[in-house]
Amino acid sequence: MSSQELTFSQVVKKRYSARAFLPSPIPSDVLKDILLKAQCAPSNCNTQPWSLHIVAGDKLRELSHALTADLKAGNYSLDFTFDKEAYPEPFRQSALEQVRSYYQALGVARGDNLSRSEVVERNVKFFGAPHVALLFIPVVGDNVRVALDAGMYAQVFLLSLAARGYAGVPQAVLSYFAQTVRRILNVPEDFRLLYGISFGIPDKTHPSLSYREGRVSIDESVVWHQ
Ligand SMILES: Cc1cc2nc3c(=O)[nH]c(=O)nc-3n(C[C@H](O)[C@H](O)[C@H](O)COP(=O)(O)O)c2cc1C
C-alpha cells in the first residue's frame, strides 16, 4: 500500500463494492485511523446517531453460521422494510441492470437457481472478509433523518477504506436478520440495524471484481434552476 496521499478524485473513483476478500485483517492502528476519518461525517445538529459494531475472528464465524442458518430457514427479522418492487421507474430499471451485470460477471445464467442461492449466501459469509461492520441507529421518530446521517457516515467510512487501498461492500441483506445480529452482538433492542459492511483487502483475482457498475448521466438526476 502506497504511503502517498491520493487526491479526492482518485479516492472517489477507487471506491467500489468489493464482493471477494483476502483473509488477512486490516492492522488495528490503520482501522482506528479509518474510523477516525469516518467520524468526520456530517449529521443533523451534529447528533452523530450511529453505532458501529465491528466483528472479526471467532465472533465473525459465529455470526456467519447463525445468519447462514437463518437464510436457509427463511428466518427473517428486518427492522426496516425493503421492497425492490416498490421502486418506480427509472430506479427499478437500474436495480435490474445491477443484478444482470453482477450475475453476468460471475457467469451465473438466468434461472440457475442453485448458483443464484450460492451468490446470495456469499453475503452472509461476508464474501470472505475478515471484518464486518454492523451499522445500528437509535429509534427516533420515523428514523428517516437518522438513517440519512448514518448513510453519510457509511460513505465516509467506505471512502476512507478506499483511500488506504482497502474495500468494503454495504449489505442490506445483513439487515434481514436484525434480531439474530442483535442477540449475538448483545445490542440493545432500541437500536435498529440499517445494514452491514463487509470489508478488508479485496481479492482482485475473483470474477466478481472484474466489472464496475455504471451510473446514469447527471442530466437524469440533476434539475437546474436559475
Ligand atoms: C444501502 C446499500 C445496501 C446494499 N446492499 C447490498 C447487498 O445486500 N449485497 C450486495 O452485494 N451489494 C449491496 N450493495 C452494493 C450495491 O449493489 C452497489 O453499491 C451498487 O451496485 C453500485 O456499485 P458500486 O458500489 O460498486 O459503485 C448495497 C449498497 C448500498 C448503498
Side-chain angles (χ1 to χ4, degrees), residues 122-164:
R122 295 186 69 245
N123 273 274
V124 289
K125 299 194 182 306
F126 314 122
F127 300 106
H131 315 273
V132 67
L134 282 312
L135 182 56
F136 287 87
I137 54 174
V139 178
V140 182
D142 67 7
N143 265 131
V144 173
R145 305 278 172 197
V146 174
L148 192 148
D149 292 335
M152 296 222 176
Y153 171 80
Q155 172 67 332
V156 184
F157 177 66
L158 290 167
L159 290 173
S160 190
L161 284 169
R164 293 289 203 131

Side-chain angles (χ1 to χ4, degrees), residues 26-39:
I26 300 178
S28 61
D29 56 329
V30 177
L31 184 50
K32 277 186 191 144
D33 185 61
I34 288 168
L35 291 166
L36 278 172
K37 301 271 176 0
Q39 204 69 10

Side-chain angles (χ1 to χ4, degrees), residues 31-205:
L31 184 50
K32 277 186 191 144
D33 185 61
I34 288 168
L35 291 166
L36 278 172
K37 301 271 176 0
Q39 204 69 10
C40 298
S43 58
N44 269 288
C45 300
N46 202 24
T47 42
Q48 304 160 68
W50 46 74
S51 174
L52 198 69
H53 287 246
I54 299 182
V55 190
D58 287 345
K59 206 65 176 172
L60 187 76
R61 282 182 280 281
E62 181 187 347
L63 190 61
S64 179
H65 284 140
L67 299 192
T68 305
D70 274 358
L71 177 69
K72 288 187 172 160
N75 183 21
Y76 303 120
S77 54
L78 288 89
D79 289 338
F80 302 101
T81 58
F82 183 46
D83 181 5
K84 269 196 206 168
E85 300 302 316
Y87 282 73
E89 295 300 350
F91 310 109
R92 193 164 174 272
Q93 202 49 46
S94 294
L96 291 173
E97 176 55 27
Q98 188 270 322
V99 173
R100 195 198 59 76
S101 47
Y102 177 37
Y103 281 80
Q104 191 181 46
L106 289 175
V108 177
R110 226 184 148 89
D112 184 351
N113 290 331
L114 183 62
S115 294
R116 284 186 173 239
S117 63
E118 282 165 4
V119 172
V120 174
E121 202 175 311
R122 295 186 69 245
N123 273 274
V124 289
K125 299 194 182 306
F126 314 122
F127 300 106
H131 315 273
V132 67
L134 282 312
L135 182 56
F136 287 87
I137 54 174
V139 178
V140 182
D142 67 7
N143 265 131
V144 173
R145 305 278 172 197
V146 174
L148 192 148
D149 292 335
M152 296 222 176
Y153 171 80
Q155 172 67 332
V156 184
F157 177 66
L158 290 167
L159 290 173
S160 190
L161 284 169
R164 293 289 203 131
Y166 299 107
V169 54
Q171 292 171 263
V173 169
L174 300 181
S175 71
Y176 290 17
F177 313 103
Q179 284 295 11
T180 302
V181 175
R182 248 192 306 273
R183 175 175 54 77
I184 290 180
L185 303 184
N186 209 11
V187 177
E189 278 295 323
D190 53 357
F191 274 79
R192 297 198 169 153
L193 180 57
L194 259 190
Y195 45 87
I197 302 174
S198 297
F199 64 97
I201 303 170
D203 176 1
K204 294 189 175 158
T205 64

